[in-house]
Tab-separated table of all heavy atoms in Angstrom:
chain	number	residue	atom	x	y	z
A	226	VAL	N	-16.619	-1.826	-174.137
A	226	VAL	CA	-15.323	-1.291	-173.697
A	226	VAL	C	-14.683	-0.422	-174.770
A	226	VAL	O	-14.051	0.591	-174.475
A	226	VAL	CB	-14.364	-2.439	-173.294
A	226	VAL	CG1	-12.957	-1.915	-173.022
A	226	VAL	CG2	-14.903	-3.152	-172.062
A	227	SER	N	-14.875	-0.802	-176.020
A	227	SER	CA	-14.233	-0.017	-177.067
A	227	SER	C	-14.974	-0.167	-178.384
A	227	SER	O	-14.920	-1.212	-179.033
A	227	SER	CB	-12.773	-0.468	-177.218
A	227	SER	OG	-12.202	0.132	-178.347
A	228	SER	N	-15.677	0.883	-178.754
A	228	SER	CA	-16.427	0.897	-180.011
A	228	SER	C	-16.633	2.370	-180.347
A	228	SER	O	-15.758	3.189	-180.082
A	228	SER	CB	-17.755	0.174	-179.833
A	228	SER	OG	-18.534	0.855	-178.870
A	229	GLN	N	-17.780	2.711	-180.896
A	229	GLN	CA	-18.033	4.144	-181.089
A	229	GLN	C	-18.845	4.720	-179.931
A	229	GLN	O	-19.061	5.913	-179.848
A	229	GLN	CB	-18.791	4.392	-182.406
A	229	GLN	CG	-17.956	4.032	-183.625
A	229	GLN	CD	-18.373	4.830	-184.846
A	229	GLN	OE1	-18.013	5.985	-185.008
A	229	GLN	NE2	-19.110	4.196	-185.730
A	230	LEU	N	-19.304	3.832	-179.080
A	230	LEU	CA	-20.150	4.265	-177.959
A	230	LEU	C	-19.795	3.356	-176.800
A	230	LEU	O	-20.371	2.289	-176.644
A	230	LEU	CB	-21.632	4.089	-178.354
A	230	LEU	CG	-22.670	4.430	-177.293
A	230	LEU	CD1	-22.595	5.890	-176.902
A	230	LEU	CD2	-24.073	4.107	-177.794
A	231	ASP	N	-18.798	3.755	-176.044
A	231	ASP	CA	-18.285	2.846	-175.031
A	231	ASP	C	-17.993	3.584	-173.730
A	231	ASP	O	-18.039	4.814	-173.668
A	231	ASP	CB	-17.038	2.134	-175.552
A	231	ASP	CG	-15.952	3.111	-175.954
A	231	ASP	OD1	-15.750	4.099	-175.223
A	231	ASP	OD2	-15.316	2.907	-177.005
A	232	VAL	N	-17.724	2.822	-172.698
A	232	VAL	CA	-17.511	3.408	-171.370
A	232	VAL	C	-16.256	4.280	-171.323
A	232	VAL	O	-16.196	5.249	-170.558
A	232	VAL	CB	-17.449	2.309	-170.276
A	232	VAL	CG1	-18.835	1.683	-170.108
A	232	VAL	CG2	-16.415	1.224	-170.601
A	233	ASP	N	-15.276	3.954	-172.143
A	233	ASP	CA	-14.052	4.755	-172.211
A	233	ASP	C	-14.377	6.163	-172.714
A	233	ASP	O	-14.109	7.168	-172.039
A	233	ASP	CB	-13.067	4.054	-173.163
A	233	ASP	CG	-11.752	4.798	-173.291
A	233	ASP	OD1	-11.446	5.649	-172.440
A	233	ASP	OD2	-11.002	4.506	-174.260
A	234	ARG	N	-14.980	6.258	-173.884
A	234	ARG	CA	-15.321	7.562	-174.460
A	234	ARG	C	-16.296	8.336	-173.569
A	234	ARG	O	-16.180	9.542	-173.420
A	234	ARG	CB	-15.959	7.373	-175.837
A	234	ARG	CG	-14.956	7.208	-176.950
A	234	ARG	CD	-15.603	6.674	-178.204
A	234	ARG	NE	-14.612	6.489	-179.257
A	234	ARG	CZ	-13.726	5.498	-179.293
A	234	ARG	NH1	-13.694	4.607	-178.309
A	234	ARG	NH2	-12.861	5.403	-180.287
A	235	MET	N	-17.270	7.614	-173.020
A	235	MET	CA	-18.266	8.342	-172.220
A	235	MET	C	-17.601	8.987	-171.009
A	235	MET	O	-17.960	10.070	-170.600
A	235	MET	CB	-19.424	7.428	-171.833
A	235	MET	CG	-20.353	7.186	-173.036
A	235	MET	SD	-21.997	6.635	-172.539
A	235	MET	CE	-21.640	4.902	-172.220
A	236	ASP	N	-16.617	8.293	-170.427
A	236	ASP	CA	-15.932	8.943	-169.303
A	236	ASP	C	-15.020	10.073	-169.778
A	236	ASP	O	-15.040	11.152	-169.218
A	236	ASP	CB	-15.111	7.946	-168.478
A	236	ASP	CG	-14.459	8.659	-167.297
A	236	ASP	OD1	-15.178	8.941	-166.317
A	236	ASP	OD2	-13.256	8.981	-167.340
A	237	TYR	N	-14.214	9.830	-170.793
A	237	TYR	CA	-13.204	10.858	-171.075
A	237	TYR	C	-13.796	12.130	-171.659
A	237	TYR	O	-13.282	13.219	-171.391
A	237	TYR	CB	-11.994	10.312	-171.845
A	237	TYR	CG	-12.085	10.026	-173.316
A	237	TYR	CD1	-12.336	11.020	-174.259
A	237	TYR	CD2	-11.825	8.755	-173.795
A	237	TYR	CE1	-12.360	10.746	-175.615
A	237	TYR	CE2	-11.850	8.462	-175.144
A	237	TYR	CZ	-12.113	9.462	-176.059
A	237	TYR	OH	-12.126	9.188	-177.397
A	238	LEU	N	-14.884	12.008	-172.413
A	238	LEU	CA	-15.493	13.241	-172.937
A	238	LEU	C	-15.967	14.133	-171.784
A	238	LEU	O	-15.654	15.320	-171.724
A	238	LEU	CB	-16.658	12.917	-173.866
A	238	LEU	CG	-16.257	12.345	-175.226
A	238	LEU	CD1	-17.496	11.995	-176.032
A	238	LEU	CD2	-15.389	13.330	-176.004
Side-chain angles (χ1 to χ4, degrees):
Chain A
V226 172
S227 171
S228 62
Q229 294 207 79
L230 177 62
D231 58 41
V232 291
D233 181 17
R234 277 165 181 75
M235 285 200 281
D236 182 77
Y237 76 63
L238 287 177

